Amino acid sequence: MIAPGPSLNEAFAVLGLHGPAEQAAVTRAFRLAVKSARPDQAGGDAERFRRIIAAYRLIQTTGAARPALAAPIQRPAALPVVGLTPVQAVSGGQTTVRFDDRILRVQAPAGMRTGEHLRLKAGAADGSDLYLPVLIRSADGLVALGDDLFMSWPVPTRLLSDGGRIEIETHAGVRSAWVAPGLTDPVRLRLRGLGLPARGARPEGHLFVSLKPSEDAPSAAEDLLARFTRVWTPDRLAA
């Protein structure tokens, strides 16, 4: 559900709208948002699903009905979106957003999810608190969906048929995994605990790696030799 004391403007932001909109636009935005957040679908998010429904209900009861011939409403300035990369979402980080001709420095804690709001104490021009929607954008080969992260990794085609050990370079460092023989594309591995960290009621996520057959991918022996060469440089051998 929406955090205590939500404003109508925040409810519109949850649906991806920048302030009040016509009923048709609200309904269309609600259908798109609730469809993408359905917990029974891949990438769904139960908490965001509830927030979307609560926001829609708030708009229907508070912001939908207008008296006939009402005076024109001055729309509030659109809330800026706090854009974070998946790596920033994992470890937290600082970013900047522009709002009302001001540049605000925002410190995002680790574990923020798309659809959540970051509170800036006294961040508004009148000194009130500002709640900015968060969006985790795809970057560096990583995609964030709900609590989990997704990426692709090239592997030799023969490895998928013969099986064997692979080394995957993740945002948390190199991780090893075993591939069972006889697998056919698509193949996805789950690396536990390498998704978004637990935060509040949100559980720890995982990293899902899609293995992509590639003739250019190095074999296990070639990969091991490359790692050995990087570590044991001529200077180190001379020492």
Side-chain angles (χ1 to χ4, degrees):
M1 297 180 64
I2 299 177
S7 68
L8 186 59
N9 198 40
E10 291 172 345
F12 283 112
V14 170
L15 299 186
L17 297 170
H18 298 291
E22 295 181 355
Q23 179 61 45
V26 172
T27 301
R28 184 166 55 253
F30 167 73
R31 290 175 178 173
L32 290 174
V34 81
K35 181 179 180 181
S36 65
R38 282 179 54 183
D40 61 335
Q41 299 291 333
D45 187 330
E47 178 61 24
R48 175 162 169 74
F49 185 77
R50 289 191 290 269
R51 286 168 59 87
I52 291 170
I53 293 177
Y56 183 68
R57 287 175 177 171
L58 176 62
I59 292 171
Q60 293 305 298
T61 57
T62 308
R66 303 288 183 189
L69 301 178
I73 298 175
Q74 183 177 3
R75 295 189 177 186
L79 286 174
V81 173
V82 179
L84 301 176
T85 67
V87 173
Q88 286 176 318
V90 168
S91 58
Q94 189 178 87
T95 185
T96 59
V97 294
R98 184 179 295 275
F99 183 62
D100 286 343
D101 297 326
R102 295 178 296 150
I103 295 180
L104 305 177
R105 294 186 180 277
V106 178
Q107 181 66 39
M112 293 294 293
R113 269 74 167 172
T114 291
E116 293 184 336
H117 285 75
L118 193 62
R119 178 191 176 204
L120 296 185
K121 189 174 181 180
D126 60 0
S128 61
D129 292 345
L130 198 60
Y131 293 85
L132 303 181
V134 173
L135 175 64
I136 313 301
R137 296 189 171 98
S138 303
D140 303 319
L142 286 172
V143 177
L145 293 175
D147 304 318
D148 303 315
L149 297 178
F150 296 80
M151 64 171 285
S152 298
W153 186 252
V155 296
T157 303
R158 184 175 179 180
L159 180 68
L160 295 181
S161 58
D162 296 346
R165 177 180 173 179
I166 60 173
E167 301 288 330
I168 304 171
E169 293 185 7
T170 75
H171 62 281
V174 177
R175 294 293 187 272
S176 298
W178 285 94
V179 178
L183 298 179
T184 57
D185 189 48
V187 178
R188 177 180 288 178
L189 303 180
R190 180 176 65 175
L191 302 183
R192 292 181 176 272
L194 293 187
L196 298 181
R199 181 173 178 271
R202 301 299 295 265
E204 179 183 61
H206 309 296
L207 173 63
F208 291 88
V209 183
S210 296
L211 302 183
K212 299 300 182 182
S214 173
E215 298 298 336
D216 297 328
S219 65
E222 292 171 333
D223 183 65
L224 182 62
L225 178 61
R227 295 180 186 279
F228 178 85
T229 302
R230 286 198 297 268
V231 173
W232 294 98
T233 61
D235 292 340
R236 189 164 181 177
L237 290 172

